[in-house]
């Protein structure tokens, strides 16, 4: 090849103009390129004087970006020069090729940039596999090292700050995420959610004018300490979230009321069901006064108890587990578990122990039952022979519960058809709450009907609906001036769960008012938290928080 061909070849590989290729050796997997600098002089790095006197040459192997699916190795001939400056301490120096490769580096600048790009988009392991696929040979450790080495410029000026927490280590450890609500960019991550850490960060940003935060005390005091000049906003996302949680609690508590009000048509079976003793040795209603009364926990227990009552009623009618599961909108497995063990209630420790003692004999009993043994006394003696220490009552209750299985499948199907399906048989507070908080104009026709039926069935639900919609309207249209009237209406309603919200709003009123008036909201921050969780899942843990921060701030 002549000099012109060589220059052309050099251009094809995208090498700097002063690099001349002398030969190319392709194999199946690699491409080895011999090359050298074509400049006739070099500059001493200490005294900055040029020299043309070559002292010696040596060869360096440098990895480059792949070409045509092949790994590329550059065999670089590097020259050493003699420095002419008399008092220069560096009498011999090596020519520098900053456009191609840094001193002592084992990969070219452009290969490093490719690997940095991979490190910003993928975890160490995935990145290494991807790189191999693309014709680069790089270890997971190198990928992480490149990510960690990326320079993170300090956060610029931020006038509207969104702050929130996010959980790493599955809800056991929390960090803080900071978002610029003007540019929607994540500005920083902090390793905890302490007020002092966040305040320290804010102190470095005296330009902050607005801090949009959740309803917790930590970030409120962080803003008071770190950005006293800023106006605090209790953001709308968290206000809506608080309200949604409370409404769900109320609906869970009112489930029985809603279901029974709509029923009316079949009072006899209901009466029977209430007289009947629950199947397993289990009472869904806690007998002692409960310290958790009025809590979300209790409300959800009430909802489950009501479902359990429903189950007992349908079982009494002789329906199969499968049919009950369909009507209640629950998994058949759960229905079967509830039938044999009742619904678990955390406080009923003793009862659970007694039940567990009996549960060990369930497989044996079921087998004997299937073999056709129906005599209770006989089965009781057999259990005792196997070491059963419990009473005969538990056994009898269990046997009574098995009776539902006796009828033939056909008889059961016919039976199921005669028992009317009732409205709200699948009522779930978790689902219904969305009918309450959404904009009514967004609801489908069937949803509107369902909502109207719920409101008609329960006066509490009806009152709650009106209050919720008032609040959501205030939120959507930012009519903070209506807040006082709303608080007054809630007080008058005497719905106990909502009183809690009133008290919490009163404690934080200026910020809530700002949230209902100003345009800022942490909806953006929540979106960022989701992105963060995604990044966390793809390879977090090798270098902990520092790595995650780097990954988030440099994410592609
Ligand atoms: Zn020199």
């Amino acid at each position: 090849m002549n000099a012109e061909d060589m220059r052309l070849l050099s251009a094809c590989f995208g090498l700097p103009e002063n690099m001349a290729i002398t030969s190319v050796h392709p194999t199946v997997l690699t491409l080895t390129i011999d090359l050298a600098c074509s400049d006739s002089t070099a500059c001493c790095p200490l005294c900055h004087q040029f020299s043309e006197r070559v002292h010696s040459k040596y060869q360096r192997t440098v990895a480059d970006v792949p070409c045509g699916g092949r790994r590329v190795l550059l065999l670089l001939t590097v020259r050493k020069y003699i420095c002419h400056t008399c008092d220069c301490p560096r009498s011999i120096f090596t020519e520098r090729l900053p456009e191609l490769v840094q001193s002592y580096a084992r990969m070219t600048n452009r290969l490093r940039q490719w690997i940095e790009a991979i490190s910003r988009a993928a975890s160490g392991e995935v990145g290494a596999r991807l790189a191999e696929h693309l014709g680069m040979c790089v270890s997971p450790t190198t990928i992480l090292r490149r990510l960690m080495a990326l320079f993170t410029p300090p956060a610029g000026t931020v006038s509207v700050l969104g702050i929130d927490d996010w959980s790493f280590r599955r809800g056991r450890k929390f960090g803080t995420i900071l978002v610029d609500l003007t540019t929607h960019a994540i500005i920083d991550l902090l390793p905890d959610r302490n007020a002092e850490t966040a305040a320290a960060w804010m102190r470095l940003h005296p330009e902050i004018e607005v801090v949009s935060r959740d309803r917790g005390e930590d970030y409120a005091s962080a803003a008071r300490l770190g950005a006293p000049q800023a106006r605090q906003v209790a953001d709308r996302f968290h206000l809506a979230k608080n309200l949604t949680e409370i409404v769900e609690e109320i609906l869970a508590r009112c489930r029985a009321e809603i279901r029974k009000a709509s029923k009316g048509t079949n009072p006899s079976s209901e009466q029977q069901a209430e007289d009947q003793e629950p199947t397993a040795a289990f009472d869904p209603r806690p007998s002692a006064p409960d310290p958790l009364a009025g809590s979300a926990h209790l409300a959800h227990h009430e909802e489950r108890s009501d479902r359990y009552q429903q189950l007992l009623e349908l079982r009494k009618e002789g329906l199969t587990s499968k049919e009950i599961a369909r009507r209640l909108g629950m998994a058949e497995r759960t229905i079967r578990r509830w039938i044999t063990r009742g619904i678990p209630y955390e406080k009923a420790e003793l009862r659970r122990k007694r039940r567990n003692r009996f549960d060990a004999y369930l497989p044996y009993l079921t087998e004997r039952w299937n073999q056709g043994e129906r005599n209770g006394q006989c089965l009781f003696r057999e259990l005792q022979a196997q070491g059963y220490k419990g009473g005969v009552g538990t056994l009898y209750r269990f046997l009574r519960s098995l009776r539902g299985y006796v009828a033939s499948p056909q008889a059961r199907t016919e039976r199921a058809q005669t028992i009317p399906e009732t409205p709200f048989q699948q009522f779930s507070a978790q689902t219904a709450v969305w009918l309450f908080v959404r904009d009514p104009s967004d609801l489908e026709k069937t949803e509107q009907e369902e909502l109207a039926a719920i409101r008609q069935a329960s006066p509490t639900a009806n009152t709650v609906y009106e209050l919720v919609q008032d609040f959501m309207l205030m939120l959507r249209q930012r009519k903070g001036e209506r807040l006082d009237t709303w608080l007054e209406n809630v007080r008058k309603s005497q719905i106990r769960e909502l009183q809690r919200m009133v008290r919490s709003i009163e404690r934080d009123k200026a910020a809530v008012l700002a949230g209902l008036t100003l345009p800022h909201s942490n909806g953006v921050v929540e979106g960022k938290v989701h992105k963060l969780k995604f990044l966390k899942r793809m390879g977090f843990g090798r270098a902990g928080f520092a790595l995650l921060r780097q990954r988030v701030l440099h994410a592609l």
Side-chain angles (χ1 to χ4, degrees), residues 17 57 78 83 110 130 155 162 188 233 245 271 288 300 309 325 338 346 357 372 384 415 419 428 435 500 547:
E17 268 186 14
K57 293 176 181 178
V78 187
C83 181
R110 57 188 184 182
L130 174 65
D188 213 341
V233 176
E245 283 162 4
Q271 196 50 49
H300 288 295
Q309 277 305 322
W338 281 18
E346 284 74 354
R357 213 158 57 191
Q384 279 184 320
R415 194 72 218 274
I419 299 158
S428 138
L435 301 175
R500 244 170 35 220
L547 174 67

Side-chain angles (χ1 to χ4, degrees), residues 45-263:
L46 280 192
C47 66
H48 304 293
Q49 295 301 311
F50 280 89
S51 167
E52 71 293 337
R53 275 185 66 194
V54 176
H55 168 267
S56 58
K57 293 176 181 178
Y58 72 98
Q59 223 167 31
R60 234 174 117 180
T61 308
V62 180
D64 195 15
V65 294
C67 177
R70 275 185 284 219
R71 282 178 58 196
V72 174
L73 283 179
L74 302 182
L75 288 182
L76 193 59
T77 302
V78 187
R79 290 167 294 184
K80 288 190 171 187
Y81 284 84
I82 295 167
C83 181
H84 294 306
T85 312
C86 303
D87 53 351
C88 179
R90 188 72 57 87
S91 53
I92 295 172
F93 66 90
T94 307
E95 63 182 340
R96 300 289 199 263
L97 305 164
E99 281 180 71
L100 182 68
V101 60
Q102 301 305 304
S103 316
Y104 307 109
R106 297 175 65 187
M107 57 175 85
T108 57
N109 297 339
R110 57 188 184 182
L111 178 58
R112 195 193 65 230
Q113 285 160 3
W114 281 34
I115 290 170
E116 279 168 2
I118 290 175
S119 78
R120 291 166 64 194
S123 70
E125 295 293 336
V126 173
R129 283 204 298 275
L130 174 65
E132 193 190 346
H133 222 74
L134 297 173
M136 290 170 270
C137 184
V138 57
S139 71
T141 318
T142 305
I143 288 186
L144 294 186
R145 209 175 44 232
R146 295 263 52 110
L147 178 65
M148 291 309 287
L150 289 175
F151 174 67
T152 307
T157 58
V158 49
S159 59
V160 186
L161 177 72
I163 186 169
D164 206 346
D165 61 7
W166 54 277
S167 101
F168 55 109
R169 308 271 150 84
R170 297 206 179 150
R172 280 184 290 134
K173 208 169 171 225
F174 290 86
T176 297
I177 181 170
L178 300 160
V179 175
D180 183 333
L181 289 182
T182 317
T183 63
H184 295 186
I186 301 179
I187 325 169
D188 213 341
L189 293 186
L190 306 176
D192 57 46
R193 59 173 175 189
N194 298 338
E196 196 36 60
T197 314
W201 191 94
M202 290 182 201
R203 273 187 209 105
L204 300 174
H205 293 269
E207 76 278 11
I208 297 174
E209 289 164 18
V210 171
V211 176
S212 177
R213 51 142 176 101
D214 62 10
R215 310 286 321 286
E217 181 45 37
D218 286 339
Y219 296 141
S221 73
R224 263 198 313 277
L225 294 168
Q229 78 285 355
R231 183 163 183 194
Q232 292 194 36
V233 176
D235 92 287
R236 292 199 297 282
F237 174 86
H238 282 98
L239 283 170
K241 190 164 167 255
N242 286 162
L243 186 63
T244 308
E245 283 162 4
I246 286 177
V247 172
E248 189 183 325
E249 209 179 296
I250 299 171
L251 290 175
R253 172 166 68 83
C254 296
R255 188 182 197 270
E257 181 189 21
I258 292 168
R259 201 165 60 82
K260 284 178 182 153
S262 70
K263 211 160 153 190

